[in-house]
CSV table of all heavy atoms in Angstrom, one decimal:
chain,number,residue,atom,x,y,z
A,1,MET,N,-19.0,8.5,-8.7
A,1,MET,CA,-17.7,9.0,-8.4
A,1,MET,C,-16.9,7.9,-7.7
A,1,MET,O,-15.7,7.8,-7.9
A,1,MET,CB,-17.8,10.2,-7.4
A,1,MET,CG,-16.5,10.8,-7.1
A,1,MET,SD,-16.8,12.3,-6.1
A,1,MET,CE,-15.2,12.7,-5.6
A,2,GLY,N,-17.5,7.1,-6.8
A,2,GLY,CA,-16.8,6.0,-6.2
A,2,GLY,C,-16.3,5.0,-7.1
A,2,GLY,O,-15.2,4.5,-6.9
A,3,ILE,N,-17.1,4.6,-8.1
A,3,ILE,CA,-16.7,3.6,-9.1
A,3,ILE,C,-15.4,4.1,-9.8
A,3,ILE,O,-14.4,3.4,-9.9
A,3,ILE,CB,-17.8,3.3,-10.1
A,3,ILE,CG1,-18.9,2.5,-9.4
A,3,ILE,CG2,-17.2,2.6,-11.3
A,3,ILE,CD1,-20.1,2.2,-10.3
A,4,VAL,N,-15.5,5.3,-10.3
A,4,VAL,CA,-14.3,5.9,-11.1
A,4,VAL,C,-13.1,6.0,-10.3
A,4,VAL,O,-12.0,5.5,-10.6
A,4,VAL,CB,-14.7,7.2,-11.8
A,4,VAL,CG1,-13.6,7.8,-12.4
A,4,VAL,CG2,-15.9,7.0,-12.8
A,5,THR,N,-13.2,6.7,-9.1
A,5,THR,CA,-12.0,7.0,-8.3
A,5,THR,C,-11.4,5.8,-7.7
A,5,THR,O,-10.2,5.6,-7.8
A,5,THR,CB,-12.3,8.0,-7.2
A,5,THR,OG1,-13.4,7.5,-6.4
A,5,THR,CG2,-12.7,9.4,-7.8
A,6,THR,N,-12.2,4.9,-7.1
A,6,THR,CA,-11.6,3.7,-6.5
A,6,THR,C,-11.0,2.8,-7.6
A,6,THR,O,-10.0,2.1,-7.3
A,6,THR,CB,-12.6,3.0,-5.7
A,6,THR,OG1,-13.7,2.6,-6.5
A,6,THR,CG2,-13.0,3.8,-4.5
A,7,GLY,N,-11.7,2.7,-8.7
A,7,GLY,CA,-11.1,1.8,-9.8
A,7,GLY,C,-9.8,2.3,-10.3
A,7,GLY,O,-8.8,1.5,-10.4
A,8,LEU,N,-9.7,3.6,-10.6
A,8,LEU,CA,-8.4,4.1,-11.1
A,8,LEU,C,-7.3,4.1,-10.0
A,8,LEU,O,-6.2,3.7,-10.4
A,8,LEU,CB,-8.6,5.6,-11.5
A,8,LEU,CG,-9.4,5.8,-12.8
A,8,LEU,CD1,-9.7,7.3,-13.0
A,8,LEU,CD2,-8.6,5.3,-14.0
A,9,ILE,N,-7.6,4.5,-8.8
A,9,ILE,CA,-6.6,4.5,-7.8
A,9,ILE,C,-6.1,3.1,-7.5
A,9,ILE,O,-4.9,2.8,-7.4
A,9,ILE,CB,-7.0,5.2,-6.6
A,9,ILE,CG1,-7.2,6.7,-6.9
A,9,ILE,CG2,-6.1,5.0,-5.4
A,9,ILE,CD1,-7.9,7.5,-5.8
A,10,SER,N,-7.0,2.1,-7.3
A,10,SER,CA,-6.6,0.8,-6.9
A,10,SER,C,-5.9,0.1,-8.0
A,10,SER,O,-4.9,-0.6,-7.8
A,10,SER,CB,-7.8,-0.1,-6.5
A,10,SER,OG,-8.7,-0.2,-7.6
A,11,PHE,N,-6.3,0.3,-9.3
A,11,PHE,CA,-5.6,-0.2,-10.4
A,11,PHE,C,-4.1,0.3,-10.5
A,11,PHE,O,-3.2,-0.4,-10.7
A,11,PHE,CB,-6.3,0.1,-11.7
A,11,PHE,CG,-5.6,-0.5,-12.9
A,11,PHE,CD1,-5.9,-1.8,-13.4
A,11,PHE,CD2,-4.8,0.3,-13.7
A,11,PHE,CE1,-5.3,-2.3,-14.5
A,11,PHE,CE2,-4.1,-0.2,-14.8
A,11,PHE,CZ,-4.4,-1.5,-15.2
A,12,THR,N,-4.0,1.6,-10.4
A,12,THR,CA,-2.7,2.3,-10.5
A,12,THR,C,-1.8,1.8,-9.4
A,12,THR,O,-0.6,1.5,-9.6
A,12,THR,CB,-2.8,3.8,-10.5
A,12,THR,OG1,-3.7,4.2,-11.5
A,12,THR,CG2,-1.5,4.5,-10.7
A,13,LEU,N,-2.2,1.8,-8.2
A,13,LEU,CA,-1.4,1.4,-7.0
A,13,LEU,C,-1.0,0.0,-7.1
A,13,LEU,O,0.2,-0.4,-6.8
A,13,LEU,CB,-2.1,1.8,-5.7
A,13,LEU,CG,-2.2,3.3,-5.4
A,13,LEU,CD1,-3.0,3.5,-4.1
A,13,LEU,CD2,-0.8,3.9,-5.3
A,14,LEU,N,-1.9,-0.9,-7.5
A,14,LEU,CA,-1.5,-2.3,-7.6
A,14,LEU,C,-0.6,-2.5,-8.7
A,14,LEU,O,0.4,-3.3,-8.6
A,14,LEU,CB,-2.8,-3.2,-7.8
A,14,LEU,CG,-3.5,-3.5,-6.5
A,14,LEU,CD1,-4.8,-4.2,-6.8
A,14,LEU,CD2,-2.7,-4.4,-5.6
A,15,ALA,N,-0.8,-1.9,-9.8
A,15,ALA,CA,0.1,-2.0,-11.0
A,15,ALA,C,1.6,-1.5,-10.6
A,15,ALA,O,2.6,-2.2,-11.0
A,15,ALA,CB,-0.4,-1.3,-12.2
A,16,LEU,N,1.6,-0.4,-9.9
A,16,LEU,CA,2.9,0.1,-9.5
A,16,LEU,C,3.6,-0.8,-8.4
A,16,LEU,O,4.8,-1.0,-8.5
A,16,LEU,CB,2.8,1.5,-9.0
A,16,LEU,CG,2.5,2.6,-10.1
A,16,LEU,CD1,2.2,3.9,-9.4
A,16,LEU,CD2,3.6,2.7,-11.1
A,17,ASN,N,2.9,-1.2,-7.5
A,17,ASN,CA,3.5,-1.9,-6.3
A,17,ASN,C,3.7,-3.4,-6.6
A,17,ASN,O,4.7,-4.0,-6.2
A,17,ASN,CB,2.6,-1.8,-5.1
A,17,ASN,CG,2.7,-0.4,-4.6
A,17,ASN,OD1,3.7,0.3,-4.7
A,17,ASN,ND2,1.6,0.1,-4.0
A,18,LEU,N,2.7,-4.1,-7.3
A,18,LEU,CA,2.9,-5.5,-7.6
A,18,LEU,C,3.3,-5.9,-9.0
A,18,LEU,O,3.8,-7.0,-9.2
A,18,LEU,CB,1.5,-6.2,-7.2
A,18,LEU,CG,1.0,-6.1,-5.8
A,18,LEU,CD1,-0.3,-6.9,-5.7
A,18,LEU,CD2,2.0,-6.8,-4.9
A,19,GLY,N,3.0,-5.0,-9.9
A,19,GLY,CA,3.2,-5.3,-11.3
A,19,GLY,C,2.1,-6.2,-11.8
A,19,GLY,O,1.1,-6.5,-11.1
A,20,PHE,N,2.1,-6.5,-13.1
A,20,PHE,CA,1.1,-7.3,-13.7
A,20,PHE,C,1.4,-8.8,-13.6
A,20,PHE,O,1.9,-9.5,-14.5
A,20,PHE,CB,0.9,-6.9,-15.1
A,20,PHE,CG,0.4,-5.5,-15.3
A,20,PHE,CD1,1.2,-4.5,-15.7
A,20,PHE,CD2,-0.9,-5.2,-15.0
A,20,PHE,CE1,0.8,-3.2,-15.8
A,20,PHE,CE2,-1.4,-3.9,-15.2
A,20,PHE,CZ,-0.6,-2.9,-15.6
A,21,SER,N,1.2,-9.4,-12.4
A,21,SER,CA,1.4,-10.8,-12.2
A,21,SER,C,0.2,-11.6,-12.6
A,21,SER,O,-0.8,-11.1,-13.1
A,21,SER,CB,1.7,-11.0,-10.7
A,21,SER,OG,0.6,-10.6,-9.9
A,22,SER,N,0.3,-12.9,-12.4
A,22,SER,CA,-0.8,-13.8,-12.8
A,22,SER,C,-2.1,-13.6,-12.1
A,22,SER,O,-3.2,-13.7,-12.6
A,22,SER,CB,-0.4,-15.3,-12.7
A,22,SER,OG,-0.1,-15.5,-11.3
A,23,GLY,N,-2.1,-13.2,-10.8
A,23,GLY,CA,-3.3,-12.9,-10.0
A,23,GLY,C,-3.7,-11.5,-9.9
A,23,GLY,O,-4.4,-11.1,-9.0
A,24,PHE,N,-3.2,-10.7,-10.9
A,24,PHE,CA,-3.4,-9.2,-10.8
A,24,PHE,C,-4.9,-8.9,-10.8
A,24,PHE,O,-5.4,-8.1,-10.0
A,24,PHE,CB,-2.7,-8.5,-11.9
A,24,PHE,CG,-2.9,-7.0,-11.9
A,24,PHE,CD1,-2.3,-6.2,-11.1
A,24,PHE,CD2,-3.9,-6.4,-12.8
A,24,PHE,CE1,-2.5,-4.8,-11.0
A,24,PHE,CE2,-4.1,-5.1,-12.8
A,24,PHE,CZ,-3.4,-4.3,-11.9
A,25,VAL,N,-5.7,-9.4,-11.8
A,25,VAL,CA,-7.1,-9.1,-11.9
A,25,VAL,C,-7.9,-9.4,-10.7
A,25,VAL,O,-8.7,-8.6,-10.2
A,25,VAL,CB,-7.6,-9.7,-13.2
A,25,VAL,CG1,-9.1,-9.5,-13.3
A,25,VAL,CG2,-6.9,-9.2,-14.4
A,26,LEU,N,-7.7,-10.6,-10.1
A,26,LEU,CA,-8.4,-11.0,-8.9
A,26,LEU,C,-8.1,-10.1,-7.7
A,26,LEU,O,-8.9,-9.7,-7.0
A,26,LEU,CB,-8.2,-12.5,-8.6
A,26,LEU,CG,-8.8,-13.4,-9.6
A,26,LEU,CD1,-8.5,-14.9,-9.2
A,26,LEU,CD2,-10.3,-13.2,-9.7
A,27,THR,N,-6.8,-9.8,-7.6
A,27,THR,CA,-6.3,-9.0,-6.5
A,27,THR,C,-6.9,-7.6,-6.7
A,27,THR,O,-7.4,-6.9,-5.7
A,27,THR,CB,-4.8,-8.9,-6.4
A,27,THR,OG1,-4.3,-10.2,-6.4
A,27,THR,CG2,-4.3,-8.1,-5.3
A,28,TRP,N,-6.9,-7.1,-7.9
A,28,TRP,CA,-7.4,-5.7,-8.2
A,28,TRP,C,-8.9,-5.7,-7.9
A,28,TRP,O,-9.4,-4.7,-7.3
A,28,TRP,CB,-7.1,-5.3,-9.6
A,28,TRP,CG,-7.8,-4.0,-10.0
A,28,TRP,CD1,-7.7,-2.8,-9.3
A,28,TRP,CD2,-8.6,-3.8,-11.1
A,28,TRP,NE1,-8.5,-1.9,-10.0
A,28,TRP,CE2,-9.0,-2.5,-11.1
A,28,TRP,CE3,-9.1,-4.6,-12.1
A,28,TRP,CZ2,-9.9,-1.9,-12.1
A,28,TRP,CZ3,-9.9,-4.1,-13.1
A,28,TRP,CH2,-10.3,-2.7,-13.1
A,29,LEU,N,-9.7,-6.6,-8.3
A,29,LEU,CA,-11.1,-6.6,-8.1
A,29,LEU,C,-11.5,-6.7,-6.6
A,29,LEU,O,-12.4,-6.1,-6.1
A,29,LEU,CB,-11.8,-7.8,-8.9
A,29,LEU,CG,-11.8,-7.6,-10.4
A,29,LEU,CD1,-12.4,-8.9,-11.0
A,29,LEU,CD2,-12.6,-6.4,-10.8
A,30,ARG,N,-10.7,-7.5,-5.9
A,30,ARG,CA,-10.9,-7.6,-4.4
A,30,ARG,C,-10.6,-6.3,-3.7
A,30,ARG,O,-11.4,-5.8,-2.9
A,30,ARG,CB,-10.0,-8.7,-3.8
A,30,ARG,CG,-10.2,-8.9,-2.4
A,30,ARG,CD,-9.4,-10.1,-1.8
A,30,ARG,NE,-9.5,-10.2,-0.4
A,30,ARG,CZ,-8.8,-9.6,0.5
A,30,ARG,NH1,-7.7,-8.9,0.1
A,30,ARG,NH2,-9.0,-9.8,1.8
A,31,SER,N,-9.5,-5.6,-4.1
A,31,SER,CA,-9.2,-4.4,-3.4
A,31,SER,C,-10.1,-3.3,-3.9
A,31,SER,O,-10.4,-2.4,-3.1
A,31,SER,CB,-7.7,-4.0,-3.7
A,31,SER,OG,-7.5,-3.8,-5.1
A,32,TRP,N,-10.6,-3.3,-5.1
A,32,TRP,CA,-11.5,-2.3,-5.6
A,32,TRP,C,-12.8,-2.4,-4.9
A,32,TRP,O,-13.4,-1.4,-4.5
A,32,TRP,CB,-11.7,-2.5,-7.1
A,32,TRP,CG,-12.5,-1.5,-7.8
A,32,TRP,CD1,-13.0,-0.3,-7.3
A,32,TRP,CD2,-12.9,-1.4,-9.2
A,32,TRP,NE1,-13.7,0.4,-8.2
A,32,TRP,CE2,-13.6,-0.3,-9.4
A,32,TRP,CE3,-12.7,-2.3,-10.2
A,32,TRP,CZ2,-14.2,0.1,-10.6
A,32,TRP,CZ3,-13.2,-2.0,-11.5
A,32,TRP,CH2,-14.0,-0.8,-11.7
A,33,SER,N,-13.3,-3.6,-4.7
A,33,SER,CA,-14.6,-3.8,-4.0
A,33,SER,C,-14.5,-3.3,-2.5
A,33,SER,O,-15.4,-2.7,-2.0
A,33,SER,CB,-15.1,-5.2,-4.1
A,33,SER,OG,-14.2,-6.1,-3.4
A,34,ILE,N,-13.4,-3.6,-1.9
A,34,ILE,CA,-13.2,-3.1,-0.5
A,34,ILE,C,-13.2,-1.6,-0.4
A,34,ILE,O,-13.8,-1.0,0.4
A,34,ILE,CB,-12.0,-3.8,0.2
A,34,ILE,CG1,-12.2,-5.3,0.3
A,34,ILE,CG2,-11.6,-3.1,1.5
A,34,ILE,CD1,-10.9,-6.0,0.7
A,35,ALA,N,-12.4,-1.0,-1.3
A,35,ALA,CA,-12.3,0.4,-1.4
A,35,ALA,C,-13.6,1.1,-1.7
A,35,ALA,O,-14.0,2.1,-1.1
A,35,ALA,CB,-11.2,0.8,-2.4
A,36,TYR,N,-14.4,0.5,-2.6
A,36,TYR,CA,-15.7,1.0,-3.0
A,36,TYR,C,-16.6,1.0,-1.8
A,36,TYR,O,-17.4,2.0,-1.5
A,36,TYR,CB,-16.3,0.2,-4.1
A,36,TYR,CG,-17.5,0.8,-4.7
A,36,TYR,CD1,-17.5,1.9,-5.5
A,36,TYR,CD2,-18.8,0.1,-4.5
A,36,TYR,CE1,-18.7,2.4,-6.0
A,36,TYR,CE2,-19.9,0.7,-5.0
A,36,TYR,CZ,-19.9,1.8,-5.7
A,36,TYR,OH,-21.0,2.3,-6.2
């Protein structure tokens, strides 16, 4: 449950707030791991 929920929420919020910039994937993985 933690993998699914934190992955979806962190991806959605970063995409909405930052957009798909060049460092999106690294920022998303970092925030996903902290949230997890």
Side-chain angles (χ1 to χ4, degrees):
M1 184 177 171
I3 287 173
V4 173
T5 55
T6 56
L8 287 172
I9 291 171
S10 63
F11 180 86
T12 304
L13 290 176
L14 278 174
L16 290 173
N17 291 326
L18 297 179
F20 295 104
S21 61
S22 61
F24 177 80
V25 174
L26 291 177
T27 306
W28 173 53
L29 290 174
R30 181 176 179 268
S31 65
W32 188 4
S33 63
I34 292 169
Y36 186 73

